[in-house]
Amino acid sequence: MKYQFSPSLMCMDLTKFNEQISILNSRADMYHVDIMDGHFVKNITLSPFFISQLRMMTNLPIDAHLMVEKPEDFIDMTAEAGADYISVHAETINRNAFRLIRKIKDYGAKVGIVLNPATPLDWISPYVHLIDKLTIMTVDPGFAGQPFIAEMTEKIRDAKKIRETNHYTYVIEVDGSCNEKTFRTLAEAGNDIFIIGNSGLFDLDENTEIAWDKMKNIFQQQTNTADIGHPE
């Protein structure tokens, strides 16, 4: 599997929405859309409506990251807006995880599970075999620009070991501080998908095309690999 890159669109310049999406459509592997309710995290960002507008402009997979207290209130509208992945936090679904996983699958979407830094992997052991993507937060959720939590490197290694030992098929994704300082560490630990935000992409240059090329060059230099890029 090639390393994949998922731009975090809460970090993009929304005044240049059309321009930036047009550039990213030929480069990114998927899009990461954060939906926050102001309760699970003290911030409010994008929405199912944003997904519906993005859906009209791209054929790439859209990953809806539900940082909300009650994901059951968002699954219907997020799926109907066009999300391909619906990623929910283990901290919010463990009281009814199987029902919500089934609901996501019934929409034809893929199931993502997200773990906060302090949440152990064994929280999801009853249903890990059902998921398509495991997202490991390497910062506390809710705000961009936080420092990398180094202890999460071992959690990534453990997630990879669990997958290999049990022949599971989920991909491993990291959300938080994916950039020049962490690319090598995360790749060596076993990460598959890098969510890139301000420090990893958008702050590298005002021109998104140039910023992407810089990100790609940095990643290749840090990891000594050419095995990245658009799925085409």
Side-chain angles (χ1 to χ4, degrees):
M1 173 181 170
K2 290 180 180 290
Y3 293 117
Q4 296 185 44
F5 296 87
S6 181
S8 177
L9 298 189
M10 67 175 277
C11 299
M12 72 184 298
D13 183 350
L14 292 177
T15 67
K16 300 178 180 178
F17 180 79
N18 288 351
E19 174 187 336
Q20 292 188 328
I21 294 301
S22 296
I23 292 169
L24 292 171
N25 275 343
S26 62
R27 292 165 174 79
D29 296 282
M30 65 175 68
Y31 288 119
H32 185 85
V33 177
D34 287 305
I35 297 177
M36 307 179 190
D37 62 357
H39 298 285
F40 182 68
V41 292
K42 299 298 182 182
N43 200 358
I44 297 175
T45 51
L46 305 175
S47 67
F49 175 75
F50 178 89
I51 292 175
S52 69
Q53 301 303 295
L54 176 63
R55 181 78 286 161
M56 293 188 290
M57 295 190 60
T58 188
N59 292 319
L60 292 183
I62 299 172
D63 178 20
H65 178 188
L66 301 186
M67 282 185 270
V68 299
E69 280 191 355
K70 296 181 178 180
E72 58 268 30
D73 293 343
F74 288 81
I75 289 172
D76 293 303
M77 64 179 83
T78 303
E80 291 166 2
D84 301 280
Y85 286 84
I86 298 180
S87 297
V88 294
H89 275 259
E91 300 85 5
T92 68
I93 72 161
N94 274 11
R95 64 186 179 273
N96 52 8
F98 287 92
R99 182 172 64 83
L100 294 185
I101 288 172
R102 185 166 56 250
K103 186 174 186 178
I104 293 170
K105 288 180 178 289
D106 285 345
Y107 270 107
K110 294 184 177 181
V111 176
I113 294 294
V114 189
L115 295 177
N116 281 348
T119 304
L121 281 167
D122 60 13
W123 265 44
I124 65 172
S125 59
Y127 54 83
V128 66
H129 59 290
L130 299 175
I131 72 174
D132 300 293
K133 180 162 65 68
L134 174 60
T135 303
I136 295 174
M137 299 292 301
T138 54
V139 300
D140 287 325
F143 296 90
Q146 297 182 72
F148 177 75
I149 299 174
E151 290 84 351
M152 296 305 99
T153 305
E154 189 62 30
K155 185 187 282 190
I156 298 166
R157 291 194 187 101
D158 289 343
K160 182 181 180 182
K161 185 182 300 182
I162 291 169
R163 180 178 65 186
E164 292 176 347
T165 300
N166 296 281
H167 306 289
Y168 296 149
T169 58
Y170 60 79
V171 292
I172 301 170
E173 176 182 71
V174 162
D175 188 355
S177 199
C178 292
N179 55 38
E180 183 174 10
K181 296 179 180 179
T182 63
F183 281 152
R184 177 179 297 173
T185 296
L186 296 175
E188 290 177 349
N191 187 51
D192 304 307
I193 303 174
F194 297 79
I195 296 174
I196 42 178
N198 288 326
S199 63
L201 177 64
F202 292 104
D203 284 351
L204 298 181
D205 199 276
E206 290 184 3
N207 183 304
T208 306
E209 188 171 4
I210 295 173
W212 186 273
D213 288 343
K214 286 183 177 180
M215 181 280 297
K216 182 177 178 180
N217 288 335
I218 290 169
F219 186 89
Q220 291 175 325
Q221 291 169 6
Q222 292 296 315
T223 62
N224 193 30
T225 180
D227 196 23
I228 71 172
H230 195 267
E232 294 177 351

